Amino acid sequence: MTLYEDLQWRGLIQNISSPDLIDKLNNGELTFYIGTDPTADSLHLGHYSSFLIARRLANAGHHPLLLVGAATAMIGDPRGTVERKLSDKQEVLSNFEKLKTQLQKIFPYEVVNNYEWVKDMTIIDFFRDYGKYINVGYMLGKDLVRRQMENSGISYAEFSYMLIQGLDFKYLHENRGVDLQVAGSDQWGNITTGIELIKKTTGDEVYALTVPLVTDSQGNKFGKSEGNAVWLDADKTSPYELYQFLLNTEDSMVIDYLKRLTFLSKEEIEAIEKEHLEAPERRVAQKTLAKEIISDLHGEQAFEEAVQISQQLFAGDIKSIDPKNLLCGLKNVPHCTVTPGKLPDVLVGGKICSSKREAYEFINNGAISVNGDIVKDKEFLIDKNSVFADDFLIIRRGKKKYYVVTITDETAI
C-alpha cells in the first residue's frame, strides 16, 4: 500500500484540504507540523494517538516539527461549549518545558514554541498583518465558534484563537518551509484559517490533514476536558493502570485501536482480529494493544512489570509486589480507615462485610486473606502490627475483591 492507502486503512484520514496532497504524501519530502497547547503538565492518550501520525509521516520521508504552543495556551481555543479559564503564564511556560521533554522522549523530533514568535508582536502588527486578511463572516462560520456562540457566547480572545494558529502556520511556512499542518479533526477550522491566510498574503498553496479523534464506542474522546484522561506521565497514570485501561478496551473498538495506535502491519492486525473473533475471552487483541503502547511509551520492562503485577494480584500473591506498585495496582479499589480490633469487627467497620454474620461466613470458608495470607481465626487481631507497608494493609474477600485498609491510632477493641 502507499502511505495514503495505509493511513486510510487505519482510519487516520478525516479531511484533506486538496486532492493534490495525496501524491505529495506518497512521494515524501514534505515539511509538516503538528501541535498541542501546554494546558497541563503531561500529554494524554488522545495526544498520543494524534502525534503518532508524525512518526508515520517521518518514516515515509517527511520532515516533522512538533509545536507546543504556549502563546495559544494563554488564550484557549473554543471547544463549542463554554469559555475556557485563562491559564497562568508561568504555569503555561513550565508546562511547555515538561511537554517538550515528554514529547522528545517518545518522538525524537524538533519541538518549537509559538510564544517565541508571538511574544514581541504589537497588537497593531497583529491586526494589520493577520486580522486584516480574515473576514469575520468566515470566522463565524467555523463549527466550534458557532456552537459556542449558541451555547454560552464567546469572548474576543477565544474568537481570535484561529488567527493565532493561522499566524503559526504562516510563520512556519515562511521561516521553516512548512507546507502541511496535521491535527486532530476538531482543529479543521483553525487549520483552514491558516491556509486562507497564507494564500491571501503570499499566494502559496499549503495543505492540511486531520486525523479522527480517538473515542470509545459512545463517542467520548480521551481528553482532559472530558475528565477521563489517561496520562502519558508514568507518575500520573502508572504503566499498570495503563495496562488495565487497555486490557478493558471494548471488543467492538480494539481492532480499530490496533490500527490507529500501533505500527503492526495489516497482515499482523488481520491475524489478531481473526484470533480475537474466534476467542474474544482470551483478550489477545487487548493484550497486544497494551504491549505495543506501553512498550512504546515506557519500555518493554514496564510492560512486563505491569503484566506481572496483574497476574500476582489475580493470584493473591501480594507479598512479592513492591508496596509502591501494589498501591498503584489497587488505586481504584475501595479504601477504608478502621480502628484496631478483631477481624470480624474490622470487616464490618470497613464495610468489607455487611454484618458480623456475613464476616463469620467468609472467615469460616477461607474467603478472607490479610496481606496475602488466608485467615480463618475469628479472634485474629488487626492493629498497627498488621500493616503491610507504611500504614496500610490489604484485605481480600473472595478471589477478586481487594480493599486497602488504614489503621487508626485508637485503642484496640
Side-chain angles (χ1 to χ4, degrees):
M1 289 191 292
T2 64
L3 171 62
Y4 188 78
E5 289 170 339
D6 181 67
L7 294 177
Q8 278 193 312
W9 175 78
R10 293 179 183 276
L12 291 173
I13 302 289
Q14 180 81 21
N15 296 106
I16 59 172
S17 58
S18 167
D20 294 342
L21 179 59
I22 297 174
D23 284 339
K24 292 181 179 296
L25 286 171
N26 292 335
N27 294 330
E29 296 299 320
L30 279 174
T31 298
F32 70 94
Y33 89 97
I34 180 171
T36 189
D37 289 346
T39 53
D41 59 4
S42 173
L43 299 169
H44 53 66
L45 197 60
H47 292 120
Y48 178 71
S49 66
S50 296
F51 275 100
L52 274 178
I53 200 167
R55 191 185 299 165
R56 298 185 196 280
L57 296 185
N59 290 345
H62 300 287
H63 310 294
L65 284 176
L66 309 183
L67 184 145
V68 179
T72 34
M74 293 179 198
I75 301 301
D77 60 325
R79 50 187 172 184
T81 53
V82 296
E83 185 93 2
R84 295 178 187 270
K85 293 182 180 179
L86 287 176
S87 300
D88 177 76
K89 179 178 179 180
Q90 292 308 312
E91 181 181 359
V92 167
L93 295 177
S94 174
N95 288 343
F96 166 80
E97 296 297 335
K98 293 174 182 176
L99 263 58
K100 177 181 178 181
T101 299
Q102 188 178 57
L103 268 174
Q104 290 187 315
K105 178 183 175 184
I106 307 168
F107 307 101
Y109 311 127
E110 182 181 355
V111 175
V112 296
N113 181 1
N114 60 13
Y115 185 67
E116 295 303 314
W117 55 81
V118 171
K119 63 180 179 180
D120 296 325
M121 182 178 298
T122 69
I123 191 169
I124 297 299
D125 290 337
F126 177 70
F127 286 145
R128 286 180 61 87
D129 297 340
Y130 304 97
K132 175 67 176 175
Y133 296 95
I134 303 299
N135 185 278
V136 169
Y138 172 89
M139 298 171 73
L140 291 171
K142 300 301 182 183
D143 180 58
L144 291 179
V145 170
R146 185 178 65 253
R147 280 163 45 197
Q148 188 155 320
M149 289 185 67
E150 292 171 352
N151 287 325
S152 62
I154 187 170
S155 71
Y156 186 75
E158 281 199 359
F159 184 64
S160 301
Y161 183 95
M162 70 178 75
L163 285 177
I164 304 179
Q165 190 164 325
L167 181 163
D168 291 341
F169 201 171
K170 175 176 165 65
Y171 178 89
L172 291 172
H173 172 66
E174 294 176 344
N175 292 275
R176 301 299 302 271
V178 168
D179 288 330
L180 169 67
Q181 185 180 355
V182 182
S185 57
D186 59 342
Q187 294 297 307
W188 180 250
N190 293 329
I191 299 178
T192 51
T193 299
I195 292 176
E196 185 77 4
L197 180 63
I198 292 168
K199 182 178 180 180
K200 286 185 175 180
T201 56
T202 70
D204 297 340
E205 183 176 11
V206 293
Y207 304 94
L209 183 158
T210 59
V211 181
L213 301 177
V214 173
T215 65
D216 61 21
S217 61
Q218 304 303 311
N220 300 311
K221 65 180 183 179
F222 300 145
K224 182 166 60 69
S225 299
E226 284 63 42
N228 60 345
V230 178
W231 303 101
L232 305 191
D233 185 333
D235 291 330
K236 293 169 77 74
T237 298
S238 71
Y240 171 78
E241 291 174 283
L242 180 55
Y243 177 76
Q244 290 298 317
F245 176 83
L246 297 170
L247 198 63
N248 289 315
T249 298
E250 299 162 286
D251 288 334
S252 62
M253 302 300 295
V254 67
I255 301 302
D256 180 55
Y257 293 168
L258 281 171
K259 291 177 180 179
R260 295 174 60 179
L261 299 174
T262 80
F263 285 82
L264 296 173
S265 68
K266 183 174 185 288
E267 293 73 23
E268 289 172 318
I269 292 174
E270 287 176 344
I272 293 168
E273 182 176 20
K274 182 175 182 295
E275 189 173 358
H276 171 70
L277 292 173
E278 291 173 350
E281 71 279 0
R282 293 179 56 200
R283 308 197 77 71
V284 171
Q286 285 88 345
K287 290 175 182 177
T288 304
L289 179 70
K291 180 179 180 180
E292 293 297 315
I293 293 177
I294 296 171
S295 297
D296 188 47
L297 291 173
H298 305 299
E300 290 186 15
Q301 183 177 347
F303 168 74
E304 296 296 339
E305 289 176 352
V307 173
Q308 186 179 34
I309 293 170
S310 181
Q311 292 172 341
Q312 289 168 329
L313 283 174
F314 183 79
D317 180 22
I318 67 171
K319 292 182 178 179
S320 58
I321 307 176
D322 176 87
K324 180 181 177 182
N325 290 334
L326 178 60
L327 281 179
C328 282
L330 298 176
K331 180 178 179 180
N332 295 318
V333 307
H335 286 54
C336 58
T337 300
V338 300
T339 57
K342 295 177 183 179
L343 181 56
D345 297 305
V346 168
L347 294 176
V348 175
K351 297 183 179 179
I352 299 169
C353 294
S354 60
S355 66
K356 281 193 177 182
R357 179 179 178 180
E358 185 181 62
Y360 290 150
E361 289 179 0
F362 277 113
I363 293 170
N364 289 334
N365 292 331
I368 297 294
S369 66
V370 178
N371 296 334
D373 296 322
I374 294 175
V375 178
K376 293 186 175 182
D377 180 6
K378 292 188 286 291
E379 301 297 314
F380 186 83
L381 184 65
I382 301 291
D383 58 18
K384 285 290 186 179
N385 295 319
S386 309
V387 297
F388 180 83
D390 297 327
D391 62 348
F392 71 91
L393 60 96
I394 306 299
I395 293 180
R396 186 171 72 153
R397 194 194 79 187
K399 292 184 177 181
K400 296 183 178 180
K401 296 285 287 186
Y402 279 97
Y403 299 82
V404 176
V405 181
T406 302
I407 307 298
T408 67
D409 293 322
E410 297 179 23
T411 305
I413 296 172

